Amino acid sequence: MGLYQYLYLLAGLLCLSACEPSNEQVPRPSDNGTRITAPYGSWVSPLLAANVFQQSDSVIELQSVAGTLYFAESNGEKQGQVGIKKLDQQGDIIEVVPPNFNVKSTVHEYGGAAFLGIGQSLFVTKADDQLFYRFAPNQPSLPLTPNGTRHADCVAYPKGSRIICVREDHRQAGEPKASLVTINLNFAEEGDTLVSGHDFISAPAISPDNSKLAWITWEHPYMPWDNSVLWLGDLDRKGQLNNIRKINTPTDSSVSQPLFSPDGQLYVVSDMSDWWNIYRVTPKNTLSPVLSKSAEFAVADWYLGNHNYAFESENTIIASYMLGSQAALIRLYLDSGLIESLAVDFGEITQVIRGEGGVYFIGAKATPEKGIYKVIGRGTELVYSPNLAKLDPHYISRAKTITFETGKHQQAYGYFYEPVNPNYIAPHDTRPPLIVMLHGGPTARASLAYRSDIQFWTSRGFAVLDVNFRGSSGFGRAYRQSLYGQWGQADVEDVVNAAQYVVTKGWVDAQKLAIRGISAGGLTVMSSLAFYDVFQAGVSYAGISDFEQLANNTHKFETGYLDQLIGPYAENKARYRERSPFYHLEGLNEPLLIIQGLRGQIVPSQQSQQIYTALKAKGVPTAYISYEDQTHDGWIPEHKAASLDTELAFYGQVFHFTPAGTLPSLLLDNAAALKPSSASHQ
């Protein structure tokens, strides 16, 4: 359902200057500006699908340890496996943990915050076995935790030579148990439990003098961005947790990212004002606003370890926020409340941390630039960029932000990308096909951060519309919760209205509208085809087709999510069927390409298989592509590239054009039922 990582891991794929084409010489415009006339979709692009995914290293998490900046980085050439590097004080990059170790936690299934540095040692969770390992100089890696447990979001507790971690214990039957535990730095043991008795625990933070510990909890059926609670306790000399107290916040609000200031005051982000703003915890255990702004200083915590702000000094905070399409970085002076703008030209800003000599963060711009930045005075400086694919800037499409009417006097948002290729021009009086893109979640969001998977389409002559339908993060709590009770309806209505909006503007061909999405987005794809007659093609990646099956087969983190999005299943069985596209195939008559990983646990493959079988029997043009070694979020680059090329071949068949390049053979069941080619509409 969630796949928030689709936005951050698949979307952070960047390009700078020309890539090598596979078996076609990319034509260059002549000196007099002559361009080739060719149909939209058929243009030759220098950006191959393999470039999109294989040359796509991405910095994921940052941490400062004893003057050295450590960062987790996924490696595109090694199938997205994650290693750890460090940027030392001399500016040298040194590999500390190789990518084939694959540092990744699966706490709450989506993981995050999978490593911790202490002195010269690193402590990391290994993807394969979920054990927590110590990497020390000149020593073999040593597992410190029991089999059947998962650990993440750890902090050092120097007083007791311990690490405090979030644990998810899978050793007993039934739902895994959550706790905060201490782990010995030097040898394997069970560890001691500090906090238990909650469905979910996250974000431990320890004060500078090691005397206080803060953490967050939430209970079923809520998600962490619904109703969560901040706690504070005292650590005694023996490392025991005493005087535990609950910080008073409204029950219909969430908290995130607790952080102690250098002088020991506790801060947190809360949406009690509708927007995720920064607050200070008072001596009376209440929250006092530090900054009140209609902007989001946090993200939906699909992952552990999010950091949107850091203390530059006792008096200044560096914070990032989202406001509509804008990602910005500010300096906040606590004594005066004054705000200083540091950057407004980013599409995404994550992992804001205090490091040696300043504050660092991971940034991605709307232009092809991404990496680790440092705050320098009133600006920022790029200090490290990962290995990225390259694309000539002349091929890059820039997004146009749109706002459109939807629902009952409501609004939704999106980013429209027009086709861009300096070598081509389309035939007179034609307009481009449109691909509507949907993020997962459905609580995730689209952003302006540069995405080479979007440029793959625009450089071939497609228009792309990336939609922030109701329920998306980044627009306040009310907008995020406007999908509650309405999933399968409001999101579908929004993408239909988004497509009709750009058609009305005259930007795209009304007879060549496609919609694609992954997981929760795949549901919206199939529902749009089943309940509306607007799109002429759909592509579902591991999509949900049956809400009932999802309700009965999801994992712990999302067990209660459907209670919010649709309603408790026991009392709403009819509603679950009413909104499931699988039970309304009489309206689904347009071509559908289904791509599925067979080992996915979040959306089992049977959901895709059953809708494919039904559509094939019905006579709908369809195809089902599966990959045996794929999980819901573990698509290897070769299969990502093959899927993208297959999708291009699919659009070629449906919209009757010949794509450039050598593409996989796609045998479309019931291909004879495809609508014949027709002239593009004005």
Side-chain angles (χ1 to χ4, degrees):
M1 181 190 307
L3 204 66
Y4 191 51
Q5 56 268 53
Y6 181 66
L7 215 65
Y8 293 101
L9 300 183
L10 288 186
L13 309 169
L14 310 181
C15 306
L16 293 174
S17 44
C19 301
E20 291 291 324
S22 58
N23 58 355
E24 294 204 35
Q25 181 62 41
V26 177
R28 304 297 300 176
S30 61
D31 293 338
N32 61 10
T34 301
R35 301 167 76 182
I36 302 167
T37 299
Y40 287 113
S42 68
W43 301 349
V44 176
S45 170
L47 182 59
L48 305 181
N51 303 133
V52 170
F53 297 112
Q54 291 177 350
Q55 299 173 14
S56 59
D57 294 0
S58 184
V59 181
I60 302 170
E61 295 175 11
L62 292 180
Q63 193 173 133
S64 178
V65 183
T68 298
L69 195 66
Y70 288 84
F71 56 95
E73 182 178 74
S74 65
N75 188 303
E77 292 184 354
K78 297 185 181 297
Q79 303 180 353
Q81 293 181 319
V82 178
I84 297 178
K85 297 178 179 179
K86 68 178 181 180
L87 175 65
D88 65 19
Q89 297 181 25
Q90 288 71 45
D92 296 325
I93 301 295
I94 301 169
E95 183 176 86
V96 182
V97 180
N100 59 10
F101 186 87
N102 203 12
V103 179
K104 183 180 180 181
S105 166
T106 56
V107 171
H108 303 162
E109 299 302 324
Y110 297 104
F115 79 97
L116 173 70
I118 301 176
Q120 297 298 311
S121 298
L122 278 184
F123 299 84
V124 302
T125 293
K126 187 176 183 179
D128 287 348
D129 57 22
Q130 287 300 294
L131 296 180
F132 196 58
Y133 286 79
R134 185 189 70 190
F135 276 76
N138 304 315
Q139 297 181 28
S141 58
L142 174 67
L144 299 175
T145 53
N147 286 312
T149 62
R150 305 175 183 180
H151 297 81
D153 219 358
C154 303
V155 294
Y157 181 47
K159 273 191 175 181
S161 297
R162 295 286 193 273
I163 299 172
I164 298 173
C165 291
V166 173
R167 170 177 287 178
E168 195 173 68
D169 195 334
H170 292 251
R171 289 176 290 183
Q172 299 82 29
E175 191 173 83
K177 304 298 182 183
S179 59
L180 269 186
V181 300
T182 60
I183 297 172
N184 193 286
L185 294 178
N186 300 309
F187 54 83
E189 62 172 7
E190 179 66 26
D192 297 322
T193 300
L194 290 178
V195 178
S196 62
H198 299 278
D199 290 328
F200 299 96
I201 301 174
S202 71
I206 196 165
S207 62
D209 64 359
N210 302 307
S211 67
K212 291 182 174 60
L213 181 70
W215 66 95
I216 289 172
T217 65
W218 66 99
E219 318 298 337
H220 288 312
Y222 300 111
M223 303 299 284
W225 49 85
D226 292 329
N227 300 331
S228 47
V229 176
L230 176 64
W231 300 84
L232 183 63
D234 299 331
L235 290 166
D236 63 22
R237 293 181 178 180
K238 296 181 179 180
Q240 300 300 309
L241 191 60
N242 304 304
N243 190 25
I244 295 175
R245 56 269 196 196
K246 177 181 175 181
I247 306 304
N248 297 314
T249 55
T251 55
D252 58 344
S253 66
S254 68
V255 288
S256 180
Q257 303 182 31
L259 182 66
F260 285 94
S261 66
D263 61 358
Q265 293 189 75
L266 179 59
Y267 289 71
V268 73
V269 178
S270 173
D271 63 357
M272 57 192 291
S273 68
D274 184 48
W275 297 89
W276 272 318
N277 278 195
I278 302 173
Y279 292 81
R280 180 189 295 109
V281 177
T282 71
K284 295 183 179 180
N285 296 324
T286 60
L287 298 187
S288 175
V290 172
L291 172 66
S292 296
K293 186 176 179 65
S294 296
E296 300 279 53
F297 286 85
V299 297
D301 284 323
W302 286 99
Y303 292 95
L304 298 170
N306 291 310
H307 303 289
N308 278 72
Y309 69 109
F311 283 88
E312 185 181 42
S313 68
E314 289 188 5
N315 184 48
T316 57
I317 289 176
I318 304 296
S320 67
Y321 67 82
M322 284 296 304
L323 179 57
S325 62
Q326 182 185 38
L329 193 72
I330 60 170
R331 177 180 286 115
L332 170 63
Y333 292 90
L334 296 174
D335 56 356
S336 64
L338 294 176
I339 298 174
E340 188 174 76
S341 177
L342 301 177
V344 294
D345 58 341
F346 286 88
E348 288 281 356
I349 297 175
T350 62
Q351 294 291 304
V352 182
I353 67 160
R354 168 73 185 183
E356 181 69 22
V359 172
Y360 296 81
F361 63 93
I362 300 172
K365 297 192 175 185
T367 55
E369 183 180 306
K370 182 179 181 179
I372 302 173
Y373 292 80
K374 183 179 181 180
V375 175
I376 305 291
R378 295 186 177 182
T380 63
E381 177 182 78
L382 181 66
V383 297
Y384 174 77
S385 182
N387 178 38
L388 307 171
K390 298 174 182 178
L391 183 66
D392 188 316
H394 292 94
Y395 291 88
I396 294 172
S397 178
R398 300 290 190 93
K400 178 186 299 183
T401 300
I402 67 167
T403 301
F404 56 92
E405 298 298 321
T406 192
K408 296 180 180 179
H409 309 293
Q410 294 172 284
Q411 291 183 327
Y413 312 94
Y415 306 116
F416 178 78
Y417 298 81
E418 65 180 4
V420 173
N421 189 312
N423 303 314
Y424 289 92
I425 189 170
H428 182 63
D429 286 340
T430 63
R431 292 187 174 88
L434 173 70
I435 300 175
V436 174
M437 288 190 170
L438 306 173
H439 61 67
T443 315
R445 61 179 169 84
S447 79
L448 284 177
Y450 180 88
R451 289 174 52 180
S452 60
D453 60 330
I454 288 178
Q455 305 299 325
F456 174 88
W457 298 111
T458 56
S459 60
R460 284 167 169 76
F462 290 83
V464 171
L465 179 57
D466 205 6
V467 182
N468 274 316
F469 46 80
R470 279 172 284 174
S472 302
S473 297
F475 302 87
R477 181 182 179 90
Y479 190 80
R480 194 170 65 248
Q481 293 195 334
S482 63
L483 190 64
Y484 281 11
Q486 302 297 318
W487 192 31
Q489 291 183 328
D491 53 319
V492 178
E493 184 180 25
D494 291 351
V495 299
V496 166
N497 286 332
Q500 292 176 328
Y501 175 85
V502 297
V503 166
T504 301
K505 287 288 187 180
W507 297 341
V508 299
D509 188 336
Q511 300 304 309
K512 295 181 179 179
L513 305 180
I515 183 169
R516 74 191 299 268
I518 188 165
S519 189
L523 166 85
T524 309
V525 167
M526 291 182 278
S527 295
S528 299
L529 298 178
F531 299 120
Y532 290 86
D533 187 21
V534 172
F535 296 98
Q536 291 80 42
V539 180
S540 170
Y541 284 81
I544 300 159
S545 62
D546 185 351
F547 280 128
E548 285 189 302
Q549 290 188 38
L550 187 67
N552 295 321
N553 291 286
T554 193
H555 55 85
K556 178 188 175 183
F557 183 64
E558 296 180 30
T559 296
Y561 199 20
L562 291 181
D563 290 8
Q564 311 300 315
L565 292 170
I566 302 176
Y569 175 66
E571 296 87 28
N572 296 277
K573 292 183 179 180
R575 184 185 298 176
Y576 276 62
R577 286 208 166 204
E578 287 171 3
R579 298 188 189 175
S580 296
F582 179 70
Y583 296 107
H584 298 276
L585 297 185
E586 70 279 358
L588 207 167
N589 300 302
E590 303 297 343
L592 179 67
L593 173 63
I594 301 168
I595 299 175
Q596 176 72 45
L598 296 182
R599 292 167 53 192
Q601 298 300 313
I602 298 172
V603 181
S605 61
Q606 67 191 45
Q607 292 234 13
S608 291
Q609 292 168 340
Q610 68 182 11
I611 203 164
Y612 163 71
T613 301
L615 291 178
K616 180 180 178 181
K618 184 186 173 187
V620 174
T622 186
Y624 175 73
I625 309 296
S626 63
Y627 296 106
E628 180 65 38
D629 59 349
Q630 302 299 275
T631 63
H632 185 72
D633 61 343
W635 295 67
I636 66 173
E638 290 82 356
H639 291 166
K640 292 177 188 176
S643 297
L644 207 58
D645 280 336
T646 300
E647 188 178 344
L648 176 59
F650 171 71
Y651 294 140
Q653 289 190 45
V654 173
F655 295 141
H656 303 285
F657 67 86
T658 302
T662 302
L663 301 179
S665 176
L666 175 62
L667 298 177
L668 201 60
D669 293 304
N670 305 313
L674 288 171
K675 295 178 181 178
S677 177
S678 60
S680 297
H681 286 227
Q682 300 300 307

